[in-house]
Amino acid sequence: MDMTIAGKVALVTGSSRGIGRAIAIALHQEGCKLVLNGRNGDSLQEAVDELPGSVAVRGDVQQKEEAVRIVAAATAAFGGLDIVVCNVGGGRSVPPGTETATEWQRMFALNLWSATNVVEAAVGELERRAGNIVCISSICGVEMVPDAPLTYSCAKAALNAYVRGAARPLGRRHVRINAVVPGNILVDDSVWARKLTEDSEVLQKMLDREVSLRRLGTPEEVADLVVYLASPRAAFATGGVWTLDGGQLRS
């Protein structure tokens, strides 16, 4: 299906590897003018080399001033901005019950401020072009997943609440915002990749027990949903928290 976003300018944060890189590839395949972002210069350059015509802007969107600079550079690269995908995040933290003030701050910066900083910096340009935002969240922000870090779950729950709450004021400015909420996605160098290598039988038993489709998801499946939400095909969708977990959530 043609998503009719060829020629649109898209900024994908955290796009040098994993889910972010898959999203960047999918948008590139749809003909978007692509701006990639990440903190690691080597992996970012590899991603740019893979996607001819794309532009790299290295920097850390957890820092407000950096987010402003990155958005400005992305806008200048192609003369505007239509699509923003806030993908920066991570779930590695301390076990539940061992949280510290420092860890709370770190996890909220990584999983919430990284999105709100970018939205704040980009909203003016998105308003000018009736653009849209997609944030990558997690099922941990919807339902308490056993053994998931509490810091991560709370930060992603806050991100989901932000997307729902921001939809109305952003809508008045002709900007849509949605969240994609993946479940267990198999990404290189992830906890699931490690568990698959260590004991695939135990992992499969967990999937059989917890996930309706009895498998892990792929970054490409997340990317497909992001592309849809970023396109005019989803023109009436905003404030949504879109679950993509193979049927894991129970609530």
Side-chain angles (χ1 to χ4, degrees):
M1 180 183 291
D2 181 7
M3 291 299 173
T4 67
I5 55 175
K8 298 292 186 182
V9 181
L11 166 64
V12 185
T13 68
S15 48
S16 63
R17 59 188 180 89
I19 290 174
R21 191 160 177 169
I23 292 168
I25 291 169
L27 289 169
H28 187 266
Q29 290 171 344
E30 291 291 327
C32 286
K33 298 174 182 177
L34 204 61
V35 181
L36 307 183
N37 159 255
R39 292 182 293 177
N40 184 296
D42 291 339
S43 58
L44 189 60
Q45 188 59 51
E46 288 177 6
V48 169
D49 291 343
E50 184 181 2
L51 302 172
S54 63
V55 172
V57 182
R58 186 178 179 184
D60 185 0
V61 294
Q62 297 176 74
Q63 308 299 322
K64 182 178 179 180
E65 296 78 10
E66 278 285 275
V68 170
R69 180 186 62 80
I70 290 162
V71 169
T75 302
F78 295 108
L81 193 59
D82 301 289
I83 298 165
V84 171
V85 181
C86 299
N87 174 69
V88 170
R92 292 180 180 175
S93 186
V94 298
T98 63
E99 301 82 13
T100 64
T102 299
E103 185 63 6
W104 281 112
Q105 291 285 352
R106 186 185 75 84
M107 290 299 283
F108 267 73
L110 181 60
N111 293 289
L112 180 60
W113 313 146
S114 62
T116 59
N117 286 341
V118 172
V119 173
E120 182 180 348
V123 66
E125 184 61 27
L126 292 174
E127 178 181 14
R128 189 173 74 83
R129 294 166 69 118
N132 70 88
I133 304 153
V134 182
C135 298
I136 307 303
S137 186
S138 167
I139 59 170
C140 293
V142 177
E143 183 175 289
M144 290 307 301
V145 176
D147 299 322
L150 187 56
T151 51
Y152 179 64
S153 299
C154 290
K156 288 302 190 184
L159 179 59
N160 294 343
Y162 170 73
V163 167
R164 292 189 183 101
R168 184 158 298 192
L170 289 177
R172 295 191 185 103
R173 300 178 69 173
H174 310 291
V175 177
R176 296 189 296 111
I177 184 169
N178 288 281
V180 172
V181 178
N184 302 322
I185 307 298
L186 181 59
V187 180
D188 291 343
D189 194 33
S190 69
V191 63
W192 299 114
R194 177 176 56 79
K195 289 183 177 181
L196 187 63
T197 301
E198 290 176 351
D199 198 328
S200 59
E201 185 176 344
V202 169
L203 175 59
Q204 189 59 54
K205 286 180 179 178
M206 183 281 289
L207 294 170
D208 292 343
R209 182 178 67 252
E210 299 293 340
V211 180
S212 298
L213 296 183
R214 300 189 297 176
R215 67 173 178 86
L216 298 169
T218 70
E220 291 74 20
E221 288 169 323
V222 178
D224 286 343
L225 181 52
V226 170
V227 169
Y228 167 71
L229 291 172
S231 79
R233 301 284 184 182
F236 199 52
T238 195
V241 176
W242 298 69
T243 302
L244 190 72
D245 69 346
Q248 182 173 351
L249 290 183
R250 300 294 184 264
S251 58

